[in-house]
Amino acid sequence: MNISYEAYPSVLRDYFFYIRTIKGRSQRTVDGYAIDLRGFCRFLLKQRGLFSDCEFSEIPIDSVTVDLLKTVTLSDAYEYLHFVSDSCDNLPKTRARKVSALKSFFHYLSEKSHLIDYNPLTELEVPAVKKSLPKYLTLEQCYALLSNIDGEFRERDYCITTLLLNCGMRLSELVSIDCADIHENTLKLLGKGNKERIVYLNDACLSAIEAYLPVRAKLAANGKDKNALFLNRRGTRIGARRVEQIIEAQLAKAGLAQYGFSVHKLRHTAATIMYQYGHVDIRILQEILGHANLGTTQIYTHISDDQMEKAVKSTPLSNLQPPSPASKKTSDENADDEENK
């Protein structure tokens, strides 16, 4: 995202600084909140009769003041959500993110900076999000993905994919890895909220890193970044969007482009494989994935079809057979005899 924060009013810039430095949110999260709050500010200005002749996407928000924000009501928030639902066809998940941005911002205004007397959005409800089983690659698809990696930076791209499929790390965690974070068979990751955790590297990961390091040395020789593990052709730290493009291209080469897989789906794949084939305890999986809440991890531990089939077959009632036709007939005839007596 290319966001010009200079175009934002000071009250918003202060909020972004707060969630980035004090709350430890990632820059991607800050950028996402910035886009959502920009939309709300434009809606607010238009609703109050300002910039009525201006295209919505062109409305400047640098004129938003604390006094204007003090006039916001719960109804304004719901009208905004209705507006984005009709005009932008936002999905419930997207609207839920917008609600989170609004609630966080007004909590900051009322409870942290004390710029407003009370929080008008305390009762703002998050739209219901349909829960469905996330997509993940099968073992065969994982093999196909890894076996079709080629190109100028094959060793680097293979190493990236191997770490994603084996360690279950987030994209932001992958691109922030430094060489110094690797110590023997462990890797230190910096997760959400600047929380560090240690994950173990299996043989596949160690071999992929070993094969990539000579390539990295050549890239680093012409660049300025001496710390980052994964470098681009300019010798600087590889970006998140570039990794997404690499994975997208690899999926296409492996004939998997039509399934809607992504970098995040590789994280889910790693968790699913560890849970199903490694019989990993859910709390251990929680630590590996870096989840603050166990409930979040449960999304990654859906039961496989084989497990469901095994569960149904294992019940003590699974071997019972219906009575034979002869037995049923005899039983009915006995009942008729009793009635005729």
Side-chain angles (χ1 to χ4, degrees):
M1 305 178 189
N2 294 319
I3 299 177
S4 175
Y5 283 96
E6 292 77 12
Y8 283 75
S10 60
V11 62
L12 276 170
R13 294 200 303 270
D14 291 344
Y15 165 68
F16 298 143
F17 179 79
Y18 168 77
I19 62 174
R20 183 72 179 96
T21 59
I22 305 302
K23 301 297 290 182
R25 299 293 185 260
S26 70
Q27 189 58 51
R28 287 169 65 88
T29 298
V30 176
D31 291 344
Y33 275 26
I35 292 174
D36 292 334
L37 292 174
R38 180 180 62 191
F40 178 73
C41 288
R42 285 172 172 168
F43 172 81
L44 192 61
L45 289 167
K46 195 174 186 68
Q47 188 191 53
R48 297 295 191 268
L50 305 171
F51 303 102
S52 56
D53 296 331
C54 187
E55 289 291 332
F56 185 83
S57 61
E58 300 299 326
I59 295 177
I61 65 170
D62 57 347
S63 61
V64 171
T65 63
V66 174
D67 287 337
L68 178 62
L69 294 172
K70 286 181 178 179
T71 68
V72 172
T73 65
L74 183 61
S75 296
D76 291 330
Y78 280 122
E79 288 180 23
Y80 169 64
L81 293 176
H82 180 72
F83 167 76
V84 296
S85 178
D86 286 347
S87 63
C88 306
D89 193 27
N90 286 144
L91 298 173
K93 186 175 181 180
T94 304
R95 295 198 300 275
R97 191 198 66 219
K98 294 181 184 299
V99 168
S100 296
L102 287 172
K103 289 177 73 72
S104 174
F105 178 49
F106 278 87
H107 175 76
Y108 162 80
L109 291 176
S110 60
E111 302 297 330
K112 300 301 178 181
S113 64
H114 303 290
L115 293 173
I116 61 178
D117 296 331
Y118 73 98
N119 184 355
L121 305 188
T122 301
E123 303 300 323
L124 183 61
E125 297 181 359
V126 179
V129 178
K130 179 182 177 182
K131 294 183 178 180
S132 57
L133 293 180
K135 297 178 182 179
Y136 65 96
L137 283 71
T138 65
L139 279 178
E140 291 74 16
Q141 289 171 332
C142 291
Y143 295 144
L145 177 61
L146 290 168
S147 62
N148 280 277
I149 297 175
D150 56 14
E152 182 181 1
F153 302 105
R154 185 184 69 84
E155 292 84 0
R156 181 199 63 188
D157 298 347
Y158 183 90
C159 186
I160 287 174
T161 310
T162 299
L163 290 184
L164 290 171
L165 285 173
N166 282 274
C167 301
M169 64 186 67
R170 301 179 178 91
L171 174 58
S172 59
E173 295 169 347
L174 175 90
V175 297
S176 66
I177 296 175
D178 288 337
C179 293
D181 294 331
I182 302 173
H183 181 67
E184 295 182 352
N185 67 331
T186 63
L187 171 63
K188 181 176 69 176
L189 296 176
L190 184 63
K192 288 185 176 181
N194 287 328
K195 294 180 180 178
E196 294 182 348
R197 72 181 187 279
I198 300 295
V199 298
Y200 285 86
L201 300 171
N202 57 26
D203 291 342
C205 293
L206 293 172
S207 297
I209 292 172
E210 183 179 2
Y212 162 62
L213 287 179
V215 176
R216 184 201 172 278
K218 295 179 181 178
L219 293 172
N222 299 322
K224 297 180 180 179
D225 199 324
K226 305 301 181 182
N227 299 318
L229 176 62
F230 294 113
L231 303 174
N232 56 30
R233 66 172 61 251
R234 298 186 303 275
T236 58
R237 186 182 298 273
I238 198 168
R241 180 54 192 148
R242 180 59 190 134
V243 173
E244 290 175 335
Q245 293 172 339
I246 290 170
I247 297 300
E248 289 168 2
Q250 292 174 5
L251 288 167
K253 290 177 183 178
L256 302 173
Q258 70 272 27
Y259 296 109
F261 295 139
S262 63
V263 173
H264 188 70
K265 298 301 185 295
L266 299 192
R267 169 172 160 85
H268 178 65
T269 298
T272 302
I273 290 176
M274 279 188 278
Y275 183 71
Q276 292 185 1
Y277 294 92
H279 308 291
V280 178
D281 181 85
I282 189 172
R283 294 193 179 275
I284 299 298
L285 192 59
Q286 178 188 3
E287 293 295 324
I288 295 174
L289 297 175
H291 287 156
N293 300 313
L294 186 62
T296 307
T297 313
Q298 292 173 341
I299 300 175
Y300 292 86
T301 58
H302 53 271
I303 301 175
S304 68
D305 293 340
D306 290 341
Q307 289 173 310
M308 288 191 289
E309 182 180 2
K310 182 178 180 181
V312 172
K313 288 183 177 181
S314 64
T315 172
L317 302 178
S318 64
N319 295 322
L320 292 182
Q321 298 296 323
S324 64
S327 299
K328 187 176 186 300
K329 181 178 180 181
T330 301
S331 176
D332 291 341
E333 288 176 347
N334 290 337
D336 291 340
D337 290 342
E338 289 295 327
E339 290 181 2
N340 293 330
K341 285 182 179 179

